[in-house]
Amino acid sequence: MRRLLSIILVVAVIFILSATNPERSEYIEWINHKTMDQSSNILEKGILSVAGKTIFDAGTSRKDYFLFSVYKTDFSEMGLGKITSIGIFNQFIALPSSKE
């Protein structure tokens, strides 16, 4: 009986993780809002509100692992470094960035 309960629990967790794996569009929206919130310059906020989603979409790659996704946004050319985030449970967790 315990084994059956354990299997049901594992299947439930896998189902919940896969159902709450956020999509790329959700990540683009999140990173755009996060960047706008961190910006103190009105001009930067204006540019991000108009073209931010397009800019972030062009520089972002996604690896989908079914239960979660890893997003990498590369802005090394602009001197901002790389942003790596994990998407899980409809949330995004930003990992420490690397500036090269």
Side-chain angles (χ1 to χ4, degrees), residues 1-9:
M1 186 66 168
R2 272 189 186 209
R3 183 179 170 124
L4 179 62
L5 191 58
S6 297
I7 292 171
I8 291 172
L9 182 63

Side-chain angles (χ1 to χ4, degrees), residues 1-91:
M1 186 66 168
R2 272 189 186 209
R3 183 179 170 124
L4 179 62
L5 191 58
S6 297
I7 292 171
I8 291 172
L9 182 63
V10 168
V11 168
V13 168
I14 289 172
F15 175 76
I16 291 169
L17 282 170
S18 67
T20 59
N21 185 359
E23 295 292 325
R24 181 184 174 97
S25 60
E26 294 171 285
Y27 172 77
I28 300 299
E29 186 79 29
W30 174 78
I31 193 78
N32 190 40
H33 283 293
K34 182 178 176 186
T35 306
M36 283 177 51
D37 290 344
Q38 290 178 348
S39 175
S40 61
N41 187 337
I42 294 175
L43 180 61
E44 285 178 6
K45 286 184 180 185
I47 291 170
L48 287 172
S49 67
V50 173
K53 290 180 184 177
T54 306
I55 293 167
F56 290 119
D57 192 34
T60 299
S61 64
R62 175 188 185 205
K63 289 197 177 190
D64 187 0
Y65 295 101
F66 185 67
L67 303 178
F68 64 94
S69 295
V70 176
Y71 297 90
K72 293 185 179 185
T73 306
D74 187 3
F75 290 114
S76 299
E77 298 157 358
M78 293 185 268
L80 298 174
K82 297 178 183 178
I83 300 168
T84 303
S85 302
I86 296 174
I88 189 167
F89 291 120
N90 284 331
Q91 300 292 318

